[in-house]
Amino acid sequence: VVVDRLVVIGGDAGGMTAASLARRRRDAAELEIVVFERGGFTSYVACGIPYFVGDVVHDPDVLVARTPEEHRRRGLDVRTHHEVLTIDVAAREVQFRDLHAGTEHRLHYDDLVVATGAVPRRPDIPGIDAEGVFGVQTLDDGMAVRRWVDEERPTNAVVIGGGYIGLEMAEALVRRGVHVTLLEQAPQPMTTLDPDMGALVAAAMRDMGIEVVLETAATGIERVGRRVRGVATDGAALVADMVVLGLGVKPGSELAAAAGIPVGETGGIVTDDRMATRTPGVWAAGDCAELHHRVTGRPVAIALGTHANKQGRVVGLNVTGGGALFPGVIGTAITKVCEIEIGRTGLTESEAAEAGFDAVAATIESTTRASYYPGAAPVTVKTVAERDSGRLLGAQIVGREGAAKRIDTAAVAVWNEMPVADVAALDLSYAPPLSPVWDPILLAARKTAELIS
Ligand SMILES: Cc1cc2nc3c(=O)[nH]c(=O)nc-3n(C[C@H](O)[C@H](O)[C@H](O)COP(=O)(O)OP(=O)(O)OC[C@H]3O[C@@H](n4cnc5c(N)ncnc54)[C@H](O)[C@@H]3O)c2cc1C
């Protein structure tokens, strides 16, 4: 009996979802499944790192959804501390190194899943390797940050980069009693929002005691011996006992690109909607892959666990004879910094203009509950629509508890290309402890529709 071999590179969201589903659909007598993972963990939840650092979650074990041992018990040959060095697509082989033994070997595959994730951006500035400077990409990174906070008891931290990971890490450090300065090169934090909405985030962060330094770039890490002491910028220098990098990521597609597997303009591996790459027998899933944006029709690279899990599923089905499709993305994302929740979907006003849409936008202020109900908190919603068709192109939300998840209503409308007038008429729920009678999404859609009619 000839047993096919599926090789997976990367043992987290994309790779393990694909491997686990393939195993559920094919037993070991039909398909051997080998997963190579450079690190020591599998199926860990990077998304939980800020909450572990902030001590909202106390036990790091809960951040591992399934250990290598649990995967092995389910029939997967999981090889942690094994790094794939090259892919030979002609011979259908991977060359890998056992990082503990220091030995190198080759292994044949029938199908290969590349799920190598993303690579965090690191500024090329002097002193970046100082002790006390942390990236937060892997669980090991998260453990290292937490250890530093527990043991070194820093007074001042600088978070470089105002994307969602920077914001979540800022919150984590505030929770631990650290004075935080957020340094951002752009004129606003959260550049995935329009400037007016980003300004609300900056104001709210300042109200919470976070120092927000905008339009300023880090130019170096100042040290005493090996240890970080501060951050030099093109403005004033900042004092710091620790620095966290939150500068975003790029697709981790180098291994694939070196093998001649086509990579697109975003740096992500090009796939069709079955997640097959252009190289026979090779599939891709997760942050390493390029995505199709359903509103602009353009390729994008958006590193999110939501996409990695869904794509892993599509690959797991398709490598075992299924016909699953990944339908693309619309850029839906939520986050929170201290009491402020942030949501976005589709296109911002600036993105819509950039993509060539003649768009209109309206912003409303409302509350998360009936205004008289205790705990009612402010929420601002901005919606963007195409002028001619009235189609909802995108929405952004900044508000207090109960605000961000409302973005999902808008996401469904954007996905289905609904006109804003129809969104304004949706039968959304209402009860005073949970919503005003006009849900903020309805108000924003109505105001946008009025600009069109
Ligand atoms: C701090 C933080 C917070 C986040 N919060 C959210 C959130 O709230 N919501 C959300 O949707 N997403 C969030 N994300 C993003 C989410 O974690 C990622 O999108 C998701 O993990 C991507 O899964 P992946 O399998 O593509 O890549 P990864 O999870 O990066 O896994 C890739 C794996 O491949 C391994 N690997 C790479 N190259 C090799 C090689 N050559 N050989 C062997 N192994 C290799 C790596 O060690 C890694 O374990 C967050 C990420 C971080 C870092």
Side-chain angles (χ1 to χ4, degrees):
V1 184
V2 180
V3 179
D4 280 344
R5 183 183 291 134
L6 172 66
V7 169
V8 177
I9 313 174
D12 196 27
M16 285 323 308
T17 305
S20 303
L21 187 54
R23 173 50 76 235
R24 282 210 293 282
R25 286 165 55 86
R26 292 281 182 278
D27 63 29
E30 291 175 285
L31 184 66
E32 183 187 348
I33 304 178
V34 181
V35 181
F36 291 107
E37 168 52 51
R38 185 165 53 197
F41 297 103
T42 52
S43 303
Y44 52 91
V45 191
C47 317
I49 290 172
Y51 310 102
F52 172 58
V53 173
D55 204 28
V56 180
V57 172
H58 313 300
D59 176 4
D61 289 350
V62 300
L63 300 184
V64 179
R66 207 168 274 174
T67 63
E69 200 37 58
E70 285 169 315
H71 282 300
R72 288 181 194 121
R73 280 203 293 275
R74 288 173 160 85
L76 299 176
D77 180 355
V78 175
R79 305 191 193 173
T80 45
H81 304 292
H82 279 63
E83 180 170 19
V84 173
L85 305 174
T86 58
I87 305 167
D88 181 340
V89 296
R92 292 206 178 200
E93 282 182 354
V94 292
Q95 181 204 4
F96 64 92
R97 177 178 292 144
D98 176 337
L99 297 175
H100 283 168
T103 51
E104 287 181 17
H105 311 269
R106 298 176 81 87
L107 186 72
H108 176 79
Y109 63 82
D110 294 289
D111 280 288
L112 176 71
V113 180
V114 183
T116 42
V119 179
R121 294 179 200 278
R122 272 178 91 81
D124 186 18
I125 53 176
I128 192 72
D129 293 327
E131 273 172 31
V133 178
F134 299 94
V136 273
Q137 178 70 9
T138 64
L139 196 46
D140 287 311
D141 297 337
M143 305 262 207
V145 181
R146 166 98 196 219
R147 212 173 306 122
W148 187 272
V149 177
D150 287 349
E151 290 169 13
E152 304 295 329
R153 306 255 160 213
T155 311
N156 294 294
V158 173
V159 175
I160 305 180
Y164 79 91
I165 292 181
L167 263 56
E168 290 173 5
M169 290 306 296
E171 167 179 333
L173 295 169
V174 166
R175 283 185 60 90
R176 300 298 303 274
V178 183
H179 176 258
V180 177
T181 303
L182 184 90
L183 186 61
E184 168 60 58
Q185 215 165 346
Q188 66 178 85
M190 292 302 289
T191 50
T192 52
L193 302 178
D194 277 323
D196 50 340
M197 299 297 278
L200 297 178
V201 176
M205 289 177 76
R206 288 182 176 128
D207 282 350
M208 286 159 201
I210 298 172
E211 219 164 296
V212 181
V213 179
L214 301 172
E215 295 179 85
T216 306
T219 53
I221 304 293
E222 295 172 348
R223 285 163 295 179
V224 174
R226 294 265 316 121
R227 277 171 81 99
V228 59
R229 186 180 69 84
V231 178
T233 77
D234 52 12
L238 304 166
V239 178
D241 315 305
M242 73 180 291
V243 171
V244 175
L245 304 175
L247 292 158
V249 295
K250 53 184 184 203
S253 58
E254 271 179 31
L255 181 67
I261 297 164
V263 164
E265 63 188 73
T266 65
I269 300 169
V270 178
T271 70
D272 62 15
D273 48 11
R274 303 172 63 240
M275 300 312 298
T277 71
R278 293 191 178 146
T279 304
V282 183
W283 309 78
D287 291 354
C288 62
E290 188 164 270
L291 304 163
H292 164 76
H293 198 292
R294 290 170 64 100
V295 183
T296 63
R298 291 183 187 164
V300 283
I302 303 175
L304 284 176
T306 45
H307 311 323
N309 281 287
K310 288 194 191 100
Q311 293 179 337
R313 223 186 122 67
V314 167
V315 171
L317 288 166
N318 290 342
V319 287
T320 49
L325 302 179
F326 182 74
V329 303
I330 55 172
T332 309
I334 56 175
T335 188
K336 140 178 196 299
V337 53
C338 302
E339 285 87 51
I340 291 298
E341 298 185 359
I342 300 156
R344 55 100 62 222
T345 189
L347 305 182
T348 61
E349 191 177 2
S350 1
E351 286 169 345
E354 209 176 292
F357 285 101
D358 179 9
V360 295
T363 304
I364 62 96
E365 283 169 20
S366 180
T367 49
T368 52
R369 302 171 172 181
S371 57
Y372 58 83
Y373 193 90
V379 54
T380 304
V381 180
K382 179 172 183 176
T383 41
V384 181
E386 188 177 26
R387 192 186 301 274
D388 280 353
S389 66
R391 167 187 170 192
L392 183 68
L393 295 173
Q396 298 155 70
I397 298 180
V398 176
R400 301 263 165 167
E401 190 173 3
K405 262 309 239 184
R406 287 191 149 94
I407 204 67
D408 289 343
T409 310
V412 172
V414 171
W415 186 276
N416 289 299
E417 303 184 11
M418 286 178 70
V420 263
D422 290 1
V423 178
L426 280 173
D427 178 12
L428 300 188
S429 56
Y430 157 62
L434 299 165
S435 175
V437 66
W438 293 95
D439 186 277
I441 292 283
L442 297 181
L443 289 178
R446 193 210 297 158
K447 192 166 172 191
T448 314
E450 282 165 3
L451 294 175
I452 293 168
S453 56

